Amino acid sequence: MNDNVSEARRALLPGTSHASFAANVSTAVREQLRRAESAALGGRADHGFDILRDTRAGGTPLADDDRIALAEMTSLLTRWGAPGPAPWEFLDELAAACHTPRARGAVFLAQARAARGKAMAEYGTRALFEFTAAGDIGGQALALSRMSFPADAGLSPSYRRELARRALALAKRSGEPWIIALVAGMLAACETYQGRKRAPGRWRQAASLLPADLDAVTGEVAALNYLNWALTCVYFGDYPTALEAVARGRVVGRGPWVNKFAAVEALVRHRTGHLDVAREQAAVARAGTAPGIRELGTAVAAAVTFETARRLPYDDLETVVTVAYATSPPCGATAAATLAYIRHARREPRPARGLPPILRKAREAEHHFGWEDALLALTEIAPDAARDEAAAMSRFWSPSPRAAAIRSVVEGHLAGKRGWAALVEGADALAAMGEPITAGRTYHAAARVAPSPTERTHARDRAAELFTTAGADRSLATLARDRFLHGGLLHVPDNQRHQVNAGLTPRERDVAVLAAQGFTAVEIADRLGITVGTARNYVLNVRRKFGSVPKRRLALVLGMVGDVH
């Protein structure tokens, strides 16, 4: 933490803060809140919500502060995984029962904090109206910040940023540390999606505004800022700082935050080539109940499986992409890219079909952040389709180091044989920031368009080194089987033998396995029930696809040994 942030923290925090608009909650309601929180911390957010609903229906008279506290805990449990429309109906009932505009504003704000998209802005607008009537500056700040964030609320990016800045000015006037921290986080979110260079620094400062010894509701504010700081660093390519933010967030986050921070660490570990750790953290994320977190964990697990498994399971990842995108557009774009790579490896028709809609949504929301993986996957899988998308996205590139590297890779792919320099520049940058698999794929692409044999060999060997270090067996096998790079042949990993990644048809694969085992054309024809001439043609086709590699070296090139399946 830098000195400026430390000074701000000392000035803002004379004591521990509690993130609530309810100052005088009754003893009976406070006990029920404790029970509901304990249930949710035990993985039963639905049971916790039932406790809150029973509290209101129990016949005990409730004051407005009791209603506010119930609403704030309901909002918290909804973010932790309380299912269905019932929490929203309950919140509406609480708002209708409030006697003062400040109380109604607090309930509407609780709804805004649990909402997404346009609903967030709508409830934020209602809260602003009530807080303005009540003269509550802190409430106005929080309501304005909620109105500033959704990109689909019909407001221009510049106006949304102005709302967020006005909200922060009001928050500072309120003098409440938790309000300042939450509003600072919303401004950081606006600046992140608008591609501002200062966004990671904004997140660092917002995350540092609250102490570690927090109650659950205040801890939610701090943990949210740490989580978003970590995600921003991931997509900026600053993986050490992302892990720092995860470590700090785990200190203050309770309940499902364990799963949320595991999901972010899983994403970091996959990006940085620590696939075993990524798999472990993805499993923790998938055990959670918070919306979108299981899906992000599933997406990372699928990405690890893609690189390490012998066969690819036919999981339903389309739903995962949809939910992950609704939770976090950058995470959804990454999940969509993973799904496209898997479809491509399975040879499904139109494997990149889910990527253009992701890019279209980014343009409609004017996001300058988080869609880069979707465009990169589209460029690698379907370069012709990627040309128009790349042109349409050209004004949305952020100035972050990772975005600059991905842009260089995309432009290199689309330039064909003239793309060597751009590909190597992008690959070098990705390797320097500690992203071996993406860098390796880029070096592989560079090797295919290298201007000289020496440069081709260097790029191919660099790709092999990175894949080997990361344990990315499928990418290494694809490199080893590349028909343009057969000189100085690489070893195909054992778990990728028998896998078809070289553009062979099923019949060509059967012939290749037999030829690699030393069978003659006559023997192959007899085994497969085809003519000898057809068998010879198949063998020639297979060899031609690998640069006319000698028949005796097919086993090494293809990694195909053993029986035909």
Side-chain angles (χ1 to χ4, degrees), residues 4-62:
N4 291 335
V5 174
S6 298
E7 287 297 327
R9 176 170 172 175
R10 281 195 289 272
L12 289 169
L13 295 173
T16 301
S17 174
H18 181 74
S20 174
F21 283 94
N24 297 298
V25 181
S26 66
T27 302
V29 170
R30 197 179 299 278
E31 174 59 24
Q32 297 301 83
L33 294 174
R34 187 196 62 76
R35 289 183 58 219
E37 179 190 333
S38 295
L41 288 172
R44 293 293 309 281
D46 54 345
H47 179 55
F49 171 66
D50 289 339
I51 293 172
L52 300 180
R53 187 165 50 184
D54 292 345
T55 301
R56 181 175 182 273
T60 302
L62 298 177

Side-chain angles (χ1 to χ4, degrees), residues 478-490:
T478 302
L479 175 68
R481 292 166 175 160
D482 192 319
R483 61 193 175 109
F484 290 108
L485 306 174
H486 66 89
L489 296 170
L490 305 166

Side-chain angles (χ1 to χ4, degrees), residues 144-155:
L144 275 176
S145 72
R146 287 289 146 180
M147 294 167 60
S148 73
F149 183 67
D152 55 358
L155 304 177

